[in-house]
Amino acid sequence: MSTLQRVAVVGSGPSGVYTVQALLDQDPTSTLAVDVLDRLPCPYGLVRYGVAPDHEKIKSLQNNLRRVLEDSRVRFIGNVPVGEGGVAPEELRRLYHAVVYCVGAATDRRLGIPGEDLDGSCSATDFVSWYSGHPDARDGFPLTARSVVVIGVGNVAVDVARMLVRGAAELHTTDMPQAPLDALAAGPARTVHMVGRRGPSQAKFTTKELRELGTLPGVRTTTHASELARDPAVGDPGDLPAAARRNLAVLESWSRPDDPAALPTGPRIDLRFFLRPVEVLGTAGGSVRAVRFERTAPDGHGGVTGTGEFEDIEAQWVLRSVGYRGVPLAGLPFDAASGTVPNAGGRVLRDGAPSPGEYVAGWIKRGPTGVIGTNRPCAKETVTALMADAEALAARPVAGEDPLVRLSAEGRHPVPWSGWLDIEAAEARLGSSLARTTAKIPDWDGLLKAARQST
């Protein structure tokens, strides 16, 4: 039985909570105490701020995460940033026998094409943060756009396309903040073009999310017959994974002729393939007016090559949804090429050697791949490595003071679990006052003040 007693997990999203669960499961009778630190006063990470508000079943995963965070051996400490402007990793190493960083991938990948920074060109990540009520979210999106181009064919692209055309009545029962709900409801009917550079058989969305696009009231979802036909797997999908075969069947059911006159009018989601963005075109005033794409073709090796044919798609708003990317955390090593912290099986590597007491799990460990459930085996691998080091880690001297005392120093205002429960109750009251089930609170200053009073 190890005498490892004090561990910090930085991040309270799925990878962080699965790490906590794996720690508790490894030695259920030990005196191990786990502090879960988060820079926000609210737990759950991307489950709260990244899952679309109309996906109530996925968001209900919060209930499972909650049970772990309410374990008597676990202490949630919110509103504690780590890294630049916050607690330094070196300080955490002084306070804890081991620290596991589960900080995810906080930004998006860029396209690297001319015009990407025009007014009206932004990341899908920012848009998701806004309609999910993230406290760091920007606003000022061109919600009156008649035509929107979403670059990317993954689940995030599906989510933002769906949010752009859903009616307010359908979103009223979700936890979307009232301001984004009102703003999206006031927007005009629009065409959303979801565009991928490769073929439909290589698209990254899951079939369940894809099918939802065909069930939206009053919205037509279309694909182009000629683009589907370019994919060698269409008509002969035998060697494809089952999920890709299911996706192709759905996409083919939405196929329409390329003649614009044959396409439906009204709100529409138009899925396009074999188109690579090469430039965002702007108006004289510096706003988006269209996106120029180069037609691509399969190269026979799983990739695509340009054909020299171009097509401009009108748009007043461009959302790039081509993946997330990790960002450096001050005080930790970082591999800029992969957007991850260098590690071996979860052990942080400094100058190529394992750094005693420092670990990573989740996207910052392996890159932004997989679904929520993928974080569970990833966390178990890291915890297995940590527990193999437990004897050496337990021998490391740590500060005798309660870490919370130190984390509360220097003007910091940690929010404990009771503070989060106050926030949750306030959101329920807000929802009731709006005749909704719940609604996220946008007043973070007042919210934090109330949470601190419960500390």
Side-chain angles (χ1 to χ4, degrees):
M1 189 76 65
S2 84
T3 56
L4 183 65
Q5 293 184 337
R6 191 184 288 177
V7 176
V9 174
V10 181
S12 64
S15 64
V17 178
Y18 290 151
T19 296
V20 175
Q21 187 173 40
L23 281 166
L24 301 180
D25 290 346
Q26 284 275 351
D27 196 356
T29 63
S30 75
T31 57
L32 181 67
V34 183
D35 283 349
V36 181
L37 313 182
D38 201 294
R39 72 181 187 89
L40 297 180
C42 304
Y44 311 135
L46 278 181
V47 176
R48 177 175 167 88
Y49 291 115
V51 174
D54 61 340
H55 277 176
E56 289 90 350
K57 185 174 181 179
I58 300 176
K59 291 182 79 69
S60 69
L61 177 62
Q62 292 182 20
N63 296 327
N64 297 334
L65 304 183
R66 182 190 194 109
R67 282 192 286 272
V68 177
L69 293 175
E70 289 184 329
D71 188 285
S72 61
R73 295 164 289 175
V74 179
R75 182 168 58 175
F76 173 77
I77 308 174
N79 201 41
V80 177
V82 173
E84 186 175 359
V87 184
E90 182 179 355
E91 185 173 1
L92 291 180
R93 292 182 71 192
R94 188 180 69 82
L95 295 169
Y96 296 93
H97 289 114
V99 183
V100 187
Y101 294 91
C102 307
V103 294
T107 190
D108 66 295
R109 292 176 55 200
R110 291 179 61 83
L111 299 170
I113 61 175
E116 188 172 7
D117 293 318
L118 285 170
D119 187 23
S121 173
C122 60
S123 80
T125 304
D126 287 344
F127 183 52
V128 170
S129 293
W130 173 73
Y131 68 60
S132 298
H134 195 290
D136 294 341
R138 52 159 283 189
D139 54 14
F141 297 102
L143 295 169
T144 58
R146 302 181 308 278
S147 176
V148 181
V149 166
V150 179
I151 299 174
V153 284
N155 280 349
V156 175
V158 169
D159 283 347
V160 299
R162 194 177 65 253
M163 288 299 103
L164 286 167
V165 297
R166 291 210 81 158
E170 300 167 69
L171 296 172
H172 188 75
T173 58
T174 73
D175 67 351
M176 182 183 288
Q178 191 66 34
L181 179 63
D182 292 341
L184 286 170
R190 51 173 64 86
T191 300
V192 179
H193 306 272
M194 191 190 311
V195 188
R197 64 184 178 87
R198 296 196 293 179
S201 66
Q202 296 169 304
K204 298 298 184 183
F205 32 59
T206 53
T207 308
K208 180 179 181 296
E209 279 66 31
L210 177 63
R211 284 177 177 148
E212 283 186 83
L213 297 182
T215 63
L216 302 175
V219 178
R220 296 295 300 272
T221 303
T222 58
T223 58
H224 292 231
S226 64
E227 292 175 351
L228 298 185
R230 285 175 174 262
D231 194 321
V234 173
D236 185 22
D239 294 333
L240 289 179
R245 292 199 302 271
R246 291 192 296 267
N247 285 347
L248 277 181
V250 175
L251 294 167
E252 288 182 277
S253 73
W254 295 334
S255 177
R256 297 289 185 273
D258 288 344
D259 181 3
L263 294 174
T265 59
R268 179 163 61 99
I269 298 175
D270 194 26
L271 284 87
R272 306 292 307 273
F273 298 96
F274 293 116
L275 291 172
R276 178 169 59 197
V278 295
E279 185 177 1
V280 180
L281 306 175
T283 65
S287 298
V288 171
R289 66 174 178 83
V291 183
R292 179 160 293 166
F293 292 92
E294 181 182 16
R295 173 69 62 186
T296 62
D299 64 4
H301 304 287
V304 293
T305 185
T307 65
E309 303 173 35
F310 297 89
E311 177 182 347
D312 293 352
I313 298 180
E314 177 202 357
Q316 297 79 45
W317 188 3
V318 178
L319 286 161
R320 62 177 180 272
S321 181
V322 291
Y324 290 91
R325 180 173 175 77
V327 297
L329 188 71
L332 281 184
F334 186 73
D335 178 23
S338 64
T340 63
V341 170
N343 72 93
R347 294 181 176 95
V348 171
L349 300 178
R350 291 183 181 269
D351 299 321
S355 175
E358 292 187 305
Y359 301 84
V360 285
W363 281 0
I364 200 64
K365 168 188 172 184
R366 68 181 192 275
T369 60
V371 295
I372 289 174
T374 311
N375 291 295
R376 192 183 293 274
C378 176
K380 285 184 177 180
E381 180 190 51
T382 294
V383 169
T384 298
L386 189 157
M387 296 307 293
D389 302 338
E391 185 174 350
L393 294 174
R396 289 183 60 243
V398 296
E401 64 185 312
D402 183 345
L404 182 57
V405 174
R406 182 59 185 163
L407 295 174
S408 301
E410 301 174 7
R412 301 187 189 115
H413 299 281
V415 172
W417 186 254
S418 60
W420 155 241
L421 295 181
D422 289 344
I423 293 170
E424 190 176 46
E427 291 186 333
R429 290 193 297 271
L430 174 63
S432 178
S433 71
L434 297 169
R436 299 174 58 191
T437 304
T438 186
K440 292 196 182 82
I441 296 177
D443 177 17
W444 281 92
D445 290 337
L447 189 151
L448 277 175
K449 181 178 179 181
R452 289 167 187 163
Q453 290 174 349
S454 71
T455 303

